[in-house]
């Protein structure tokens, strides 16, 4: 089972931009921080730019900056921008008709997923990028 790390990478990138407090950063320097390739960082930056969270310029002198103050960006904004996966996924195995658990587990888990997802999203709405940058600076 693979994990989708796009959200944590997007937060890493955004924190890097917030840490530099308005200074232009290149995708290469952000990629070094994340320890990934610049083309992957550019794909994530594209999503963040479309969501209005970063300003980017292309070309040889291309760089990016936060489009808003870190205090005005919630982790939920980033979560939505990169279309992060839900808190968990429900398996797609076929129902085994003789088993009542197999017949009903998906509906039960859908209700659990809905509650869990709402909780995750509310939590992310309450945390700003500024808080993450501050935590990084204080560690």
């Amino acid at each position: 089972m693979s994990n989708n790390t796009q959200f944590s990478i997007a937060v890493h990138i955004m924190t890097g931009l917030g840490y530099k407090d308005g200074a232009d950063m290149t995708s290469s320097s952000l990629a070094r921080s994340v320890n990934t390739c610049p083309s992957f960082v550019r794909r994530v930056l594209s999503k963040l730019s479309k969501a209005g969270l970063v300003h980017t310029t292309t070309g040889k002198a291309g760089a990016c900056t936060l489009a808003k103050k870190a205090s005005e960006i919630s982790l939920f904004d980033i979560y939505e921008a990169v279309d992060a996966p839900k808190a968990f996924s429900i398996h797609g195995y076929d129902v085994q008709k003789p088993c009542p658990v197999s017949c009903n587990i998906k509906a039960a888990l859908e209700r659990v997923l809905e509650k869990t997802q709402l909780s995750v999203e509310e939590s992310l709405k309450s945390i700003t990028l500024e808080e993450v940058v501050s935590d990084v600076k204080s560690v």
Side-chain angles (χ1 to χ4, degrees):
M1 188 181 306
S2 69
N3 291 325
N4 183 314
T5 58
Q6 203 162 174
F7 170 65
S8 64
I9 291 170
V11 173
H12 187 140
I13 290 167
M14 295 290 287
T15 302
L17 294 171
Y19 191 91
K20 292 293 185 174
D21 203 24
D24 285 354
M25 292 190 70
T26 66
S27 57
S28 294
S29 63
L30 290 166
R32 280 191 299 277
S33 178
V34 177
N35 195 22
T36 191
C37 64
S39 62
F40 178 73
V41 168
R42 284 191 292 275
R43 285 195 304 272
V44 175
L45 284 169
S46 175
K47 292 178 180 184
L48 295 168
S49 177
K50 285 178 185 165
L53 301 177
V54 297
H55 292 299
T56 59
T57 55
T58 57
K60 213 170 200 176
C64 54
T65 58
L66 293 179
K68 304 176 183 180
K69 294 178 183 177
S71 62
E72 297 171 356
I73 299 171
S74 74
L75 293 190
F76 180 72
D77 295 329
I78 300 168
Y79 183 83
E80 271 194 319
V82 297
D83 196 28
K86 293 188 182 266
F88 65 88
S89 24
I90 299 170
H91 71 77
Y93 296 125
D94 292 338
V95 171
Q96 298 304 306
K97 300 254 187 240
C99 178
V101 173
S102 181
C103 290
N104 298 301
I105 192 65
K106 290 180 184 176
L109 283 175
E110 284 290 343
R111 287 189 291 278
V112 173
L113 175 56
E114 185 178 329
K115 286 181 183 179
T116 303
Q117 189 64 35
L118 286 172
S119 179
V120 167
E121 290 177 8
E122 287 305 312
S123 181
L124 292 175
K125 287 175 184 177
S126 73
I127 303 167
T128 65
L129 179 61
E130 181 179 55
E131 291 174 65
V132 177
V133 171
S134 179
D135 286 349
V136 167
K137 287 181 176 181
S138 69
V139 175

